[in-house]
Amino acid sequence: MGWLDWLFGGSSAKKNVAAERVASPPPLSRPPYFAIIDVETTGLSPKKDRVLELAVVRVDQGGNVVDEWSTRFNPEGPVGASHIHGITQADVANAPLFRDVAASVVSYIAGLPIAAHNARFDLAFLRAEFRRAGWDVPWLPAYCTLDGSHHYMPHLDRRRLVDCCWSARIPLKDAHSALGDARATAGLLRHYLQAQGRVRPHPPLLSVHSDARGVVWPSAPTRAPLAFLPDEPTSAQSRPIRVTNARPKQPALIAQLSRLSLVELLDEGAPVGSLTYVETLLDALEDGVISEDEAAALQDLVEVYELSDADVADAHQALVFALAHKALDDGHVSRDERSELESIASSLQLASTLVPKLIAEADAARAARLSAKLRPLPTDWALGEPLRVGDKVIFTGFDGRERERARLERRTQELGVRVLGAVSGLTAMLVTDGSFAGGKLARAQELGTRIVDPETYAILLKHLQPVKAAVPMLRQAPATMTAVAGSTPMTVQTTTSPGEIRAWGIENGYTVGVRGRLSTELVQAYELALLDAQKEPAGP
């Protein structure tokens, strides 16, 4: 069995598990140390949408599962996007209301720190349901495994649960069921706890348990249940859910969404604190549109993540900039790409002039490259990897040589090379004359970024090369990919990330689920294509 098949757990069909109604947890041989929760919801807004399914997995101090509990709820309204969570109206018709089992939920989480992947999201929904049920919810100390991934997995491009589980080799079965995701999150938390001997402990993971000891839960609701929250519209006011086709209209551009790295968004100016919100935004965009309900829900999430208007505007602009530069890598934007960029910019309430400005810059860069008549490298080239169109470079120093720096920066941008202000793992090189040893130089040295002097850089710029052609991932398999015989179908063990598999599926005409989901059928198709590619003779 290939690890991808092991990771995603065989069948992608949802299990219709009857709700478990447990008055209190059974006696335990080991004391629980964390309560890991996950919710499936009718939508993205804690104010307007409801919890459809809740799972609690409790683990001991080593991260080993002690017990688990889950149930579905009747949301007293539409179930929302079944193509995302897999729950239908019939599945919850006879399920309990949240207020009927609220005491059972409390019995599983009281006195314990909570852990969740994107904890603010899950806790916002849990608080809203308790509030509707008439309970006064105390402050709930929680540890977010998504936030923790920045500490324990700093190399990741994306940080959804599927991405983190892929990195840690944790099985993710029944993805997007509450219990399946809670089990996976428990495995991720165990991975963090067991890394303490190798990695400096994450301070929030150390402090959250003591914070939870003093939290006192009420033993019962203190007021009558609410039909809806005071700031929530009644059902008569609610807008119908806009169901959109999960298959993208512009596959090439939507595939780029799957490949976007959070580091790229930071490069484009997204605030660090906005990245969890951006992950949710990227998920919402993967079906090609943002519906009115999604837009309203995203605004509610801005409050959950405590972002300022400036943070949101910067995050939105960074997303469009990063996506636009992906589309502009070849110096030309197709009509479909332009239409989709304008649609996304409009959905994010960005200036109507933004996309035309980016396209004009791309056209100018393309014209400059064509006028420069990019030529192959000289046969005696001895400067290593050349500078390429679309590369990202940083300038620092040049004390007393400001005019030279300005000239180099201007010509760099004219030729389609990106000049940015901060060094990241995606920076191609730092250009410095050594006159100033500041933070940019220190960061470049820390990351192992290539450092060149202005004279060398001028030669690299003179011999600028085209964007490196993308290597078809099915034509040149990494050395770590090895075929495993004896199974039907044959599978391979691969280091390919979930984002790359999704992008491959989109580009090859497969229907790809939204919000990180990878069906078993897609994974198997990808693995079979890899095997076919491995059988082909190597090119000249």
Side-chain angles (χ1 to χ4, degrees):
M1 175 185 291
W3 81 264
L4 280 166
D5 188 53
W6 167 75
L7 174 63
F8 296 106
S11 173
S12 60
K14 285 276 188 265
K15 296 180 181 179
N16 187 4
V17 181
E20 298 179 50
R21 305 192 192 191
V22 180
S24 60
L28 301 173
S29 58
R30 290 169 291 151
Y33 196 75
F34 267 100
I36 293 95
I37 68 168
D38 188 84
V39 297
E40 295 298 321
T41 65
T42 61
L44 295 174
S45 172
K47 292 182 178 179
K48 305 177 184 66
D49 296 310
R50 302 295 300 272
V51 173
L52 285 169
E53 189 175 40
L54 168 70
V56 183
V57 175
R58 301 197 298 178
V59 300
D60 61 20
Q61 194 165 358
N64 303 299
V65 174
V66 172
D67 63 2
E68 54 187 35
W69 176 82
S70 68
T71 186
R72 284 177 177 167
F73 301 105
N74 186 325
E76 303 176 273
V79 296
S82 293
H83 70 284
I84 294 175
H85 49 60
I87 300 173
T88 66
Q89 211 72 45
D91 292 333
V92 295
N94 298 317
L97 303 178
F98 185 91
R99 58 179 173 267
D100 295 334
V101 292
S104 295
V105 176
V106 173
S107 69
Y108 270 89
I109 65 177
L112 295 175
I114 289 173
H117 201 75
N118 194 357
R120 287 195 181 195
F121 181 92
D122 293 80
L123 287 178
F125 273 94
L126 194 60
R127 285 180 176 279
E129 289 294 350
F130 272 113
R131 187 181 173 196
R132 291 187 187 95
W135 288 71
D136 292 320
V137 182
W139 173 64
L140 300 178
Y143 181 75
C144 179
T145 53
L146 190 155
D147 289 345
S149 71
H150 291 277
H151 181 84
Y152 292 103
M153 304 170 176
H155 59 283
L156 289 184
D157 286 338
R158 296 289 299 275
R159 300 183 180 278
R160 293 169 295 191
L161 184 59
V162 64
D163 302 301
C164 293
C165 286
W166 161 76
S167 178
R169 298 294 184 95
I170 294 167
L172 179 53
K173 300 180 180 179
D174 294 326
H176 293 271
S177 72
L179 187 56
D181 286 356
R183 286 169 173 166
T185 305
L188 193 57
L189 181 65
R190 182 173 63 252
H191 178 76
Y192 293 172
L193 292 169
Q194 293 177 349
Q196 304 294 30
R198 306 184 305 274
V199 180
R200 176 177 55 85
H202 193 204
L205 185 55
L206 296 179
S207 62
V208 67
H209 195 267
S210 59
D211 293 341
R213 290 174 183 167
V215 176
V216 178
W217 273 87
S219 58
T222 57
R223 58 185 179 279
L226 300 171
F228 56 90
L229 297 181
D231 53 357
E232 174 185 313
T234 64
S235 58
Q237 295 171 310
S238 298
R239 291 167 295 189
I241 294 173
R242 178 180 171 187
V243 178
T244 58
N245 191 335
R247 189 169 184 135
K249 297 177 182 178
Q250 282 81 36
L253 191 59
I254 300 303
Q256 297 291 8
L257 280 172
S258 295
R259 290 196 174 107
L260 270 185
S261 162
L262 296 180
V263 177
E264 289 180 274
L265 298 176
L266 288 174
D267 280 351
E268 300 296 350
V272 174
S274 71
L275 292 185
T276 304
Y277 165 77
V278 171
E279 281 280 25
T280 307
L281 176 59
L282 288 170
D283 286 342
L285 279 170
E286 279 198 349
D287 60 3
V289 299
I290 297 180
S291 68
E292 291 183 2
D293 289 283
E294 285 176 325
L298 285 167
Q299 183 57 44
D300 291 340
L301 287 180
V302 167
E303 298 179 20
V304 171
Y305 298 129
E306 299 178 355
L307 300 176
S308 68
D309 290 344
D311 289 337
V312 175
D314 288 345
H316 287 179
Q317 182 165 293
L319 171 57
V320 173
F321 270 46
L323 187 57
H325 282 293
K326 289 273 188 189
L328 304 177
D329 276 346
D330 60 359
H332 174 70
V333 183
S334 70
R335 181 176 299 177
D336 283 345
E337 286 174 332
R338 178 176 183 137
S339 174
E340 189 68 6
L341 282 170
E342 290 177 338
S343 175
I344 291 173
S346 175
S347 297
L348 299 178
Q349 299 182 341
L350 295 173
S352 59
T353 57
L354 181 63
V355 171
K357 178 184 176 183
L358 286 171
I359 293 174
E361 290 176 357
D363 287 341
R366 181 170 180 265
R369 292 197 298 275
L370 291 175
S371 64
K373 298 180 180 179
L374 300 184
R375 296 176 294 273
L377 294 175
T379 56
D380 59 348
W381 182 257
L383 294 181
E385 179 64 23
L387 184 67
R388 296 184 180 276
V389 174
D391 278 352
K392 299 176 180 180
V393 300
I394 307 291
F395 286 80
T396 189
F398 290 82
D399 286 352
R401 302 170 65 180
E402 289 79 7
R403 293 181 64 182
E404 178 185 357
R405 172 172 172 172
R407 178 180 58 79
L408 278 175
E409 288 185 346
R410 182 172 61 254
R411 185 59 177 160
T412 295
Q413 292 173 318
E414 287 174 352
L415 293 177
V417 178
R418 309 286 310 286
V419 177
L420 299 180
V423 180
S424 76
L426 301 178
T427 303
M429 64 188 68
L430 178 116
V431 185
T432 179
D433 63 350
S435 62
F436 178 70
K440 293 178 182 178
L441 179 60
R443 180 62 172 159
Q445 291 170 334
E446 177 187 344
L447 294 175
T449 303
R450 185 180 181 184
I451 300 171
V452 299
D453 57 63
E455 292 71 29
T456 300
Y457 182 74
I459 299 172
L460 291 167
L461 192 59
K462 180 179 179 181
H463 294 283
L464 182 68
Q465 296 297 291
V467 176
K468 183 180 292 185
V471 177
M473 70 177 70
L474 302 181
R475 302 300 178 191
Q476 189 170 334
T480 53
M481 296 182 182
T482 55
V484 180
S487 59
T488 307
M490 290 177 64
T491 59
V492 295
Q493 296 171 337
T494 173
T495 57
T496 308
S497 71
E500 285 292 340
I501 296 174
R502 288 174 56 77
W504 174 84
I506 292 170
E507 291 170 346
N508 286 274
Y510 289 88
T511 299
V512 177
V514 297
R515 309 211 174 147
R517 296 180 75 186
L518 288 179
S519 68
T520 302
E521 291 76 17
L522 174 59
V523 173
Q524 288 179 343
Y526 177 82
E527 291 183 329
L528 288 172
L530 278 174
L531 286 171
D532 289 343
Q534 287 178 331
K535 293 174 184 176
E536 292 185 5

Short mmCIF file of all heavy atoms in Angstrom, two decimals, residues 5-35:
data_model
loop_
_atom_site.label_atom_id
_atom_site.label_comp_id
_atom_site.label_asym_id
_atom_site.label_seq_id
_atom_site.Cartn_x
_atom_site.Cartn_y
_atom_site.Cartn_z
N ASP A 5 -2.41 6.22 -0.07
CA ASP A 5 -3.62 5.45 0.19
C ASP A 5 -3.80 5.27 1.69
O ASP A 5 -4.91 5.36 2.22
CB ASP A 5 -3.50 4.08 -0.50
CG ASP A 5 -4.79 3.30 -0.43
OD1 ASP A 5 -5.83 3.85 -0.82
OD2 ASP A 5 -4.75 2.14 0.01
N TRP A 6 -2.68 5.04 2.39
CA TRP A 6 -2.73 4.92 3.85
C TRP A 6 -3.15 6.23 4.50
O TRP A 6 -3.97 6.26 5.42
CB TRP A 6 -1.35 4.50 4.34
CG TRP A 6 -1.13 4.62 5.82
CD1 TRP A 6 -1.61 3.81 6.80
CD2 TRP A 6 -0.34 5.61 6.47
NE1 TRP A 6 -1.18 4.25 8.02
CE2 TRP A 6 -0.40 5.35 7.86
CE3 TRP A 6 0.41 6.70 6.03
CZ2 TRP A 6 0.26 6.13 8.79
CZ3 TRP A 6 1.07 7.47 6.95
CH2 TRP A 6 0.99 7.19 8.31
N LEU A 7 -2.64 7.34 3.95
CA LEU A 7 -2.93 8.65 4.53
C LEU A 7 -4.39 9.01 4.42
O LEU A 7 -5.00 9.49 5.37
CB LEU A 7 -2.09 9.72 3.82
CG LEU A 7 -2.34 11.18 4.20
CD1 LEU A 7 -1.99 11.42 5.66
CD2 LEU A 7 -1.53 12.10 3.31
N PHE A 8 -5.00 8.74 3.25
CA PHE A 8 -6.37 9.18 3.04
C PHE A 8 -7.40 8.08 3.27
O PHE A 8 -8.58 8.30 3.04
CB PHE A 8 -6.51 9.79 1.64
CG PHE A 8 -5.68 11.02 1.51
CD1 PHE A 8 -4.52 11.02 0.76
CD2 PHE A 8 -6.01 12.17 2.19
CE1 PHE A 8 -3.73 12.15 0.68
CE2 PHE A 8 -5.24 13.30 2.11
CZ PHE A 8 -4.09 13.29 1.35
N GLY A 9 -6.94 6.91 3.68
CA GLY A 9 -7.82 5.95 4.31
C GLY A 9 -8.82 5.23 3.43
O GLY A 9 -9.91 4.92 3.86
N GLY A 10 -8.48 4.96 2.17
CA GLY A 10 -9.39 4.16 1.36
C GLY A 10 -10.59 4.94 0.89
O GLY A 10 -10.47 5.98 0.30
N SER A 11 -11.78 4.43 1.20
CA SER A 11 -13.01 5.01 0.65
C SER A 11 -13.22 6.44 1.08
O SER A 11 -12.99 6.80 2.22
CB SER A 11 -14.20 4.16 1.10
OG SER A 11 -15.41 4.77 0.71
N SER A 12 -13.69 7.26 0.13
CA SER A 12 -13.99 8.65 0.42
C SER A 12 -15.44 8.83 0.82
O SER A 12 -15.88 9.94 1.12
CB SER A 12 -13.70 9.53 -0.80
OG SER A 12 -14.49 9.12 -1.89
N ALA A 13 -16.22 7.74 0.81
CA ALA A 13 -17.63 7.87 1.17
C ALA A 13 -17.79 8.16 2.64
O ALA A 13 -17.05 7.69 3.49
CB ALA A 13 -18.37 6.56 0.83
N LYS A 14 -18.81 8.94 2.98
CA LYS A 14 -19.05 9.31 4.36
C LYS A 14 -19.78 8.17 5.06
O LYS A 14 -20.66 7.52 4.51
CB LYS A 14 -19.91 10.57 4.42
CG LYS A 14 -19.13 11.80 4.08
CD LYS A 14 -18.40 12.28 5.30
CE LYS A 14 -17.77 13.61 5.05
NZ LYS A 14 -16.41 13.54 4.65
N LYS A 15 -19.44 7.94 6.30
CA LYS A 15 -20.15 6.99 7.11
C LYS A 15 -21.31 7.70 7.80
O LYS A 15 -21.12 8.72 8.44
CB LYS A 15 -19.22 6.37 8.16
CG LYS A 15 -18.09 5.56 7.56
CD LYS A 15 -17.21 5.00 8.65
CE LYS A 15 -16.05 4.21 8.06
NZ LYS A 15 -15.16 3.67 9.10
N ASN A 16 -22.48 7.12 7.69
CA ASN A 16 -23.64 7.71 8.33
C ASN A 16 -23.77 7.12 9.73
O ASN A 16 -24.52 6.19 9.97
CB ASN A 16 -24.89 7.43 7.49
CG ASN A 16 -26.10 8.17 8.01
OD1 ASN A 16 -26.00 8.94 8.95
ND2 ASN A 16 -27.24 7.91 7.38
N VAL A 17 -22.98 7.68 10.66
CA VAL A 17 -22.92 7.16 12.01
C VAL A 17 -24.05 7.74 12.83
O VAL A 17 -24.26 8.96 12.85
CB VAL A 17 -21.57 7.51 12.68
CG1 VAL A 17 -21.50 6.92 14.07
CG2 VAL A 17 -20.44 6.96 11.82
N ALA A 18 -24.79 6.89 13.52
CA ALA A 18 -25.86 7.39 14.38
C ALA A 18 -25.27 8.18 15.52
O ALA A 18 -24.20 7.90 16.03
CB ALA A 18 -26.67 6.21 14.92
N ALA A 19 -25.99 9.20 15.95
CA ALA A 19 -25.50 10.06 17.02
C ALA A 19 -25.40 9.28 18.31
O ALA A 19 -26.29 8.52 18.68
CB ALA A 19 -26.44 11.24 17.20
N GLU A 20 -24.30 9.45 19.00
CA GLU A 20 -24.10 8.81 20.30
C GLU A 20 -24.54 9.79 21.39
O GLU A 20 -24.09 10.92 21.42
CB GLU A 20 -22.62 8.46 20.51
CG GLU A 20 -22.08 7.49 19.49
CD GLU A 20 -20.62 7.21 19.76
OE1 GLU A 20 -20.28 6.90 20.92
OE2 GLU A 20 -19.82 7.32 18.84
N ARG A 21 -25.40 9.36 22.27
CA ARG A 21 -25.85 10.21 23.35
C ARG A 21 -25.31 9.62 24.65
O ARG A 21 -25.80 8.61 25.15
CB ARG A 21 -27.38 10.30 23.38
CG ARG A 21 -27.97 10.76 22.04
CD ARG A 21 -29.42 11.10 22.17
NE ARG A 21 -30.04 11.26 20.85
CZ ARG A 21 -31.23 11.77 20.67
NH1 ARG A 21 -31.94 12.20 21.69
NH2 ARG A 21 -31.74 11.86 19.45
N VAL A 22 -24.31 10.25 25.19
CA VAL A 22 -23.64 9.77 26.39
C VAL A 22 -23.80 10.81 27.47
O VAL A 22 -23.44 11.97 27.29
CB VAL A 22 -22.14 9.52 26.12
CG1 VAL A 22 -21.45 9.01 27.37
CG2 VAL A 22 -21.97 8.52 24.98
N ALA A 23 -24.38 10.41 28.58
CA ALA A 23 -24.61 11.37 29.67
C ALA A 23 -23.31 11.85 30.27
O ALA A 23 -23.15 13.01 30.60
CB ALA A 23 -25.49 10.73 30.74
N SER A 24 -22.33 10.94 30.42
CA SER A 24 -21.03 11.32 30.96
C SER A 24 -20.01 10.32 30.47
O SER A 24 -20.34 9.19 30.13
CB SER A 24 -21.07 11.33 32.49
OG SER A 24 -21.40 10.05 32.99
N PRO A 25 -18.73 10.73 30.44
CA PRO A 25 -17.69 9.81 29.95
C PRO A 25 -17.58 8.57 30.84
O PRO A 25 -17.81 8.65 32.06
CB PRO A 25 -16.42 10.66 30.03
CG PRO A 25 -16.90 12.08 30.07
CD PRO A 25 -18.20 12.04 30.78
N PRO A 26 -17.25 7.43 30.26
CA PRO A 26 -17.07 6.21 31.06
C PRO A 26 -15.81 6.30 31.90
O PRO A 26 -14.94 7.15 31.67
CB PRO A 26 -16.94 5.12 29.99
CG PRO A 26 -16.39 5.84 28.79
CD PRO A 26 -17.00 7.21 28.84
N PRO A 27 -15.66 5.43 32.93
CA PRO A 27 -14.43 5.43 33.75
C PRO A 27 -13.21 5.18 32.87
O PRO A 27 -13.25 4.40 31.92
CB PRO A 27 -14.66 4.26 34.72
CG PRO A 27 -16.15 4.08 34.75
CD PRO A 27 -16.64 4.43 33.38
N LEU A 28 -12.11 5.87 33.19
CA LEU A 28 -10.91 5.80 32.36
C LEU A 28 -9.74 5.24 33.14
O LEU A 28 -9.61 5.46 34.35
CB LEU A 28 -10.55 7.20 31.85
CG LEU A 28 -11.62 7.90 31.01
CD1 LEU A 28 -11.18 9.33 30.71
CD2 LEU A 28 -11.86 7.15 29.71
N SER A 29 -8.87 4.49 32.44
CA SER A 29 -7.67 3.95 33.07
C SER A 29 -6.56 4.98 33.10
O SER A 29 -5.64 4.90 33.92
CB SER A 29 -7.20 2.71 32.30
OG SER A 29 -6.94 3.03 30.94
N ARG A 30 -6.62 5.97 32.18
CA ARG A 30 -5.62 7.03 32.13
C ARG A 30 -6.31 8.38 32.13
O ARG A 30 -7.34 8.54 31.47
CB ARG A 30 -4.77 6.90 30.85
CG ARG A 30 -3.84 5.71 30.82
CD ARG A 30 -3.27 5.53 29.42
NE ARG A 30 -4.30 5.11 28.48
CZ ARG A 30 -4.29 5.38 27.18
NH1 ARG A 30 -3.32 6.11 26.66
NH2 ARG A 30 -5.25 4.94 26.40
N PRO A 31 -5.79 9.34 32.84
CA PRO A 31 -6.45 10.65 32.87
C PRO A 31 -6.25 11.39 31.55
O PRO A 31 -5.15 11.39 31.00
CB PRO A 31 -5.74 11.38 34.02
CG PRO A 31 -4.39 10.72 34.11
CD PRO A 31 -4.63 9.28 33.74
N PRO A 32 -7.30 12.02 31.02
CA PRO A 32 -7.14 12.80 29.81
C PRO A 32 -6.37 14.08 30.09
O PRO A 32 -6.47 14.65 31.18
CB PRO A 32 -8.58 13.09 29.38
CG PRO A 32 -9.38 13.00 30.64
CD PRO A 32 -8.69 11.98 31.50
N TYR A 33 -5.61 14.51 29.11
CA TYR A 33 -4.76 15.70 29.25
C TYR A 33 -5.18 16.81 28.30
O TYR A 33 -4.96 17.99 28.58
CB TYR A 33 -3.31 15.29 28.99
CG TYR A 33 -2.27 16.28 29.45
CD1 TYR A 33 -1.97 16.41 30.81
CD2 TYR A 33 -1.57 17.06 28.54
CE1 TYR A 33 -1.00 17.30 31.24
CE2 TYR A 33 -0.60 17.97 28.96
CZ TYR A 33 -0.32 18.08 30.31
OH TYR A 33 0.65 18.97 30.73
N PHE A 34 -5.76 16.46 27.15
CA PHE A 34 -6.28 17.40 26.17
C PHE A 34 -7.61 16.87 25.65
O PHE A 34 -7.82 15.66 25.55
CB PHE A 34 -5.34 17.53 24.96
CG PHE A 34 -4.34 18.64 25.06
CD1 PHE A 34 -3.03 18.38 25.44
CD2 PHE A 34 -4.69 19.95 24.76
CE1 PHE A 34 -2.09 19.40 25.52
CE2 PHE A 34 -3.77 20.97 24.83
CZ PHE A 34 -2.46 20.70 25.21
N ALA A 35 -8.50 17.79 25.28
CA ALA A 35 -9.73 17.45 24.56
C ALA A 35 -9.61 18.06 23.16
O ALA A 35 -9.64 19.29 23.01
CB ALA A 35 -10.95 17.99 25.29
#
